[in-house]
Amino acid sequence: MTRTDSSNPPLSAVGGSTPRLPDDDVSAPELWSALIGRKALILAILLISLITAGLFIFFTPPVYESRAVLQIGQIGPGVQIESPAVLTKRVMVQDDMDGGKTAIGRVRPFIQTAFLEKDTNLISIIARGPAPDATQEYLAQVVARVIHEHQELFDLARKEQQQSLNMLQMHGHRLNQQIAANEKEISILARQPAGADAITALRVNFAQEKSKLLEQLRLAEQRQLDLRMAMSALRSKPTTLIKAPALTADPVKPRPLLYFALAIGIGLMLGIFSALVIEFISKTRRSTSS
């Protein structure tokens, strides 16, 4: 005999049917209808975003940018006056020491960056500042200082090279004198009788000495030639200004078109998100109340 538990009646007996939870699925037309119904909210948030961007642009002081390009000089084949990495770092450090730290809003101009152009010995130096004339003048001063420092190093290197060349020329002159004296002694010994062993030994010694002097003279002349080639205009030249400091056509900051485009995108996203959240909350409340 089957027993039924009267304390747990079937669900069909309570309320007549099984309760249904609210359906959370929302179709595309419903979403579009919700957005259209709350377009005022979306437009208000978009307007607030645009006003915020406009105020930011209005109160942000303009920042102008000037750029110059230097070609690092060299004092011989493959020997640069200053390493590009050292120069770029030194320019930035010197600017920081002068009080021009790289931060927008500085009263005075400052060096934004300095970098080596790819696969070249060209250094680009970029300065930024709130006033175009002051920015360009400041970059011109920085470039002039670098060129002056490099010119001093170049002149010092050329002076040392010239001194080395003079010493090599004097050494070559002395070697020529020694060779001439050696040849004179050899000619004197050549007139002596060849039978004496002492005379023969002297001839051999003078011949060996002459060979050594000639080798030294050859090396000295080769070093002179190498040094003259290193001092030539093709191998040795000072640092030069390739591109004088030039300003950009418009301030680099603020950038109204970019900021307004971002404001439109962010405003629309926030407006649509807010409209959907409010619509979801309203729908949930209606389902709960019903």
Side-chain angles (χ1 to χ4, degrees):
M1 182 177 181
T2 303
R3 297 180 58 186
T4 59
D5 190 353
S6 60
S7 61
N8 295 318
L11 292 177
S12 58
V14 181
S17 63
T18 303
R20 298 179 59 188
L21 295 177
D23 187 6
D24 291 337
D25 294 335
V26 181
S27 62
E30 290 176 335
L31 285 176
W32 179 253
S33 176
L35 294 178
I36 293 299
R38 302 189 184 275
K39 62 182 179 181
L41 174 64
I42 297 175
L43 292 177
I45 294 178
L46 176 60
L47 181 61
I48 293 173
S49 179
L50 290 173
I51 293 174
T52 303
L55 291 175
F56 178 80
I57 294 172
F58 180 78
F59 287 105
T60 299
V63 177
Y64 295 89
E65 182 176 281
S66 180
R67 177 180 177 182
V69 180
L70 289 174
Q71 184 177 34
I72 301 179
Q74 56 187 34
I75 52 177
V79 182
Q80 294 179 321
I81 295 177
E82 185 176 14
S83 167
V86 173
L87 176 59
T88 54
K89 183 66 176 178
R90 184 168 66 84
V91 168
M92 299 296 295
V93 170
Q94 184 64 46
D95 183 70
D96 288 343
M97 292 175 62
D98 292 341
K101 297 184 182 299
T102 52
I104 301 301
R106 289 276 176 179
V107 176
R108 61 181 294 278
F110 59 91
I111 299 298
Q112 170 70 14
T113 184
F115 60 93
L116 175 67
E117 299 283 355
K118 186 177 180 181
D119 299 329
T120 66
N121 62 341
L122 302 180
I123 298 292
S124 290
I125 303 177
I126 297 177
R128 288 185 176 181
D133 295 338
T135 302
Q136 193 159 358
E137 181 181 357
Y138 178 72
L139 181 57
Q141 292 175 357
V142 172
V143 169
R145 181 173 58 192
V146 171
I147 293 177
H148 176 71
E149 293 169 348
H150 281 197
Q151 186 64 47
E152 290 183 340
L153 294 174
F154 179 79
D155 293 340
L156 179 60
R158 289 301 293 266
K159 183 179 179 180
E160 293 178 350
Q161 288 175 334
Q162 188 61 50
Q163 290 176 350
S164 298
L165 182 59
N166 293 338
M167 293 178 63
L168 286 171
Q169 290 174 343
M170 293 175 60
H171 182 56
H173 181 67
R174 288 194 298 268
L175 288 174
N176 282 320
Q177 289 179 338
Q178 293 176 8
I179 291 172
N182 182 276
E183 290 176 344
K184 184 178 180 179
E185 292 292 338
I186 291 176
S187 63
I188 293 173
L189 290 174
R191 293 193 293 268
Q192 301 295 327
D197 293 338
I199 298 300
T200 302
L202 286 173
R203 288 177 180 176
V204 173
N205 289 336
F206 277 111
Q208 291 176 349
E209 183 180 354
K210 179 182 177 181
S211 178
K212 292 178 181 179
L213 291 173
L214 289 173
E215 179 63 20
Q216 293 179 19
L217 180 61
R218 186 189 66 80
L219 293 176
E221 291 176 346
Q222 183 62 45
R223 290 175 61 188
Q224 290 182 49
L225 179 60
D226 293 341
L227 195 53
R228 287 193 179 95
M229 291 181 63
M231 296 174 64
S232 67
L234 294 176
R235 303 291 184 89
S236 185
K237 51 189 175 182
T239 296
T240 55
L241 181 62
I242 301 299
K243 180 182 178 182
L247 287 167
T248 54
D250 300 312
V252 294
K253 290 187 178 182
R255 302 170 67 178
L257 292 179
L258 175 62
Y259 294 167
F260 278 124
L262 290 175
I264 291 174
I266 295 174
L268 288 176
M269 289 176 59
L270 289 176
I272 293 173
F273 178 77
S274 300
L276 292 177
V277 169
I278 293 176
E279 181 66 21
F280 176 78
I281 294 174
S282 300
K283 182 179 179 181
T284 302
R285 287 178 177 178
R286 289 195 300 267
S287 300
T288 304
S289 60
S290 60

